[in-house]
Amino acid sequence: MAISKSGAGYQVGDGNESEVVLKIQPAPQTATDTATLTAAKITGGILAGTPTAAATYTLPTVAALEAVVSNAKVNSSFDLSIINLATTDAYDITVAVGTGWTLVGNVVVEAKSSSSVNSSAIFRARKTGAGAWSLYRLA
Protein backbone atom coordinates (compact mmCIF):
# COMPACT_ATOMS: atom_id res chain seq x y z
CA MET A 1 0.00 0.00 0.00
CA ALA A 2 1.39 3.40 -0.95
CA ILE A 3 1.80 6.13 1.63
CA SER A 4 -0.60 9.03 1.26
CA LYS A 5 0.82 12.12 -0.46
CA SER A 6 -1.04 14.53 1.81
CA GLY A 7 1.06 16.36 4.38
CA ALA A 8 4.63 17.59 4.24
CA GLY A 9 6.48 14.27 3.92
CA TYR A 10 7.63 12.21 0.99
CA GLN A 11 7.80 8.52 0.21
CA VAL A 12 10.61 6.33 -1.06
CA GLY A 13 9.66 3.76 -3.70
CA ASP A 14 6.09 2.56 -3.77
CA GLY A 15 5.72 2.35 -0.01
CA ASN A 16 6.64 -1.34 0.29
CA GLU A 17 7.92 -1.64 3.86
CA SER A 18 10.16 -4.61 2.99
CA GLU A 19 11.88 -2.69 0.16
CA VAL A 20 15.60 -2.00 0.64
CA VAL A 21 16.31 1.74 0.80
CA LEU A 22 19.29 2.45 -1.44
CA LYS A 23 21.50 5.51 -1.41
CA ILE A 24 24.63 6.61 -3.24
CA GLN A 25 27.89 5.55 -1.54
CA PRO A 26 31.12 6.72 -3.17
CA ALA A 27 34.21 4.55 -2.84
CA PRO A 28 35.66 4.83 0.67
CA GLN A 29 38.19 7.59 1.27
CA THR A 30 41.56 6.64 2.77
CA ALA A 31 44.14 8.09 5.12
CA THR A 32 47.27 6.75 6.74
CA ASP A 33 49.20 8.67 9.34
CA THR A 34 48.48 12.01 11.02
CA ALA A 35 46.76 14.35 8.57
CA THR A 36 44.32 17.20 8.15
CA LEU A 37 41.34 15.68 6.40
CA THR A 38 39.71 17.37 3.43
CA ALA A 39 36.00 18.07 3.20
CA ALA A 40 35.79 15.36 0.51
CA LYS A 41 37.27 12.79 2.88
CA ILE A 42 34.67 13.40 5.57
CA THR A 43 31.61 13.89 3.37
CA GLY A 44 32.21 10.62 1.48
CA GLY A 45 30.68 8.63 4.32
CA ILE A 46 33.43 6.05 4.89
CA LEU A 47 37.07 6.72 5.77
CA ALA A 48 39.42 3.72 6.00
CA GLY A 49 42.57 4.54 7.95
CA THR A 50 45.75 2.47 7.97
CA PRO A 51 48.05 4.28 10.39
CA THR A 52 51.62 3.03 10.86
CA ALA A 53 51.77 4.70 14.30
CA ALA A 54 49.30 6.51 16.55
CA ALA A 55 47.60 9.04 14.28
CA THR A 56 45.56 12.21 14.61
CA TYR A 57 43.04 13.01 11.91
CA THR A 58 42.16 16.70 12.11
CA LEU A 59 38.83 17.78 10.66
CA PRO A 60 38.94 20.41 7.93
CA THR A 61 38.00 23.93 8.94
CA VAL A 62 34.28 24.63 8.88
CA ALA A 63 34.96 27.19 6.13
CA ALA A 64 36.49 24.44 3.96
CA LEU A 65 33.58 22.11 4.72
CA GLU A 66 30.96 24.74 3.94
CA ALA A 67 32.62 25.47 0.59
CA VAL A 68 31.65 21.88 -0.32
CA VAL A 69 28.25 21.70 1.46
CA SER A 70 27.22 25.28 0.81
CA ASN A 71 23.50 24.56 1.07
CA ALA A 72 23.66 23.24 4.66
CA LYS A 73 21.26 24.87 7.10
CA VAL A 74 21.33 24.71 10.90
CA ASN A 75 20.60 21.10 11.92
CA SER A 76 21.71 19.70 8.54
CA SER A 77 23.82 16.59 9.12
CA PHE A 78 25.76 13.78 7.50
CA ASP A 79 27.35 10.61 8.85
CA LEU A 80 30.97 9.53 8.75
CA SER A 81 32.25 6.05 9.57
CA ILE A 82 35.95 5.74 10.37
CA ILE A 83 37.48 2.27 10.17
CA ASN A 84 40.91 1.72 11.72
CA LEU A 85 42.59 -1.07 9.74
CA ALA A 86 45.74 -1.13 11.90
CA THR A 87 46.28 -4.26 13.98
CA THR A 88 48.88 -2.95 16.43
CA ASP A 89 47.61 -1.76 19.84
CA ALA A 90 49.28 1.63 19.83
CA TYR A 91 48.10 2.61 16.33
CA ASP A 92 44.86 4.28 17.39
CA ILE A 93 43.29 7.11 15.39
CA THR A 94 42.26 10.24 17.30
CA VAL A 95 39.91 12.74 15.67
CA ALA A 96 40.82 16.38 16.37
CA VAL A 97 38.96 19.63 15.77
CA GLY A 98 39.47 21.96 12.88
CA THR A 99 38.48 25.62 13.30
CA GLY A 100 34.73 25.89 13.95
CA TRP A 101 34.18 22.32 15.19
CA THR A 102 33.09 20.93 18.55
CA LEU A 103 33.68 17.25 19.33
CA VAL A 104 31.17 15.31 21.43
CA GLY A 105 31.96 11.86 22.82
CA ASN A 106 34.92 9.51 22.52
CA VAL A 107 37.02 10.53 19.53
CA VAL A 108 39.51 7.65 19.59
CA VAL A 109 39.08 4.87 17.05
CA GLU A 110 41.12 1.99 18.41
CA ALA A 111 43.29 -0.34 16.35
CA LYS A 112 41.97 -3.88 16.00
CA SER A 113 44.48 -5.59 18.25
CA SER A 114 42.09 -8.35 19.35
CA SER A 115 38.62 -9.64 18.63
CA SER A 116 37.24 -7.69 21.61
CA VAL A 117 38.28 -4.27 20.27
CA ASN A 118 35.82 -2.25 18.18
CA SER A 119 37.99 -0.83 15.41
CA SER A 120 35.42 1.44 13.81
CA ALA A 121 33.29 4.40 14.84
CA ILE A 122 30.22 6.13 13.47
CA PHE A 123 30.06 9.90 13.76
CA ARG A 124 27.36 12.41 12.86
CA ALA A 125 28.40 15.90 11.75
CA ARG A 126 25.72 18.51 12.46
CA LYS A 127 25.63 22.21 11.58
CA THR A 128 24.92 24.02 14.84
CA GLY A 129 25.12 27.65 13.73
CA ALA A 130 26.81 30.12 11.42
CA GLY A 131 30.35 28.80 10.92
CA ALA A 132 29.87 26.09 13.55
CA TRP A 133 29.54 22.30 13.36
CA SER A 134 29.62 19.52 15.95
CA LEU A 135 30.84 15.97 15.43
CA TYR A 136 29.03 13.45 17.64
CA ARG A 137 30.25 9.90 18.25
CA LEU A 138 27.20 7.69 17.76
CA ALA A 139 28.72 4.22 17.98
Side-chain angles (χ1 to χ4, degrees), residues 17-35:
E17 291 179 1
S18 63
E19 182 178 296
V20 173
V21 177
L22 298 175
K23 67 178 196 171
I24 302 299
Q25 175 58 63
Q29 296 289 317
T30 60
T32 52
D33 296 319
T34 295

Side-chain angles (χ1 to χ4, degrees), residues 6-113:
S6 64
Y10 65 92
Q11 97 182 32
V12 176
D14 65 3
N16 182 348
E17 291 179 1
S18 63
E19 182 178 296
V20 173
V21 177
L22 298 175
K23 67 178 196 171
I24 302 299
Q25 175 58 63
Q29 296 289 317
T30 60
T32 52
D33 296 319
T34 295
T36 297
L37 302 174
T38 64
K41 286 202 184 282
I42 68 167
T43 58
I46 300 173
L47 176 65
T50 51
T52 59
T56 300
Y57 291 175
T58 303
L59 297 170
T61 65
V62 165
L65 173 66
E66 290 186 341
V68 172
V69 290
S70 58
N71 59 344
K73 298 176 179 144
V74 172
N75 293 323
S76 293
S77 68
F78 62 90
D79 290 346
L80 168 65
S81 296
I82 298 177
I83 305 165
N84 187 341
L85 299 173
T87 56
T88 302
D89 260 344
Y91 295 1
D92 295 342
I93 296 169
T94 301
V95 179
V97 296
T99 302
W101 286 93
T102 300
L103 299 175
V104 180
N106 181 358
V107 295
V108 177
V109 183
E110 295 181 65
K112 179 126 179 107
S113 58

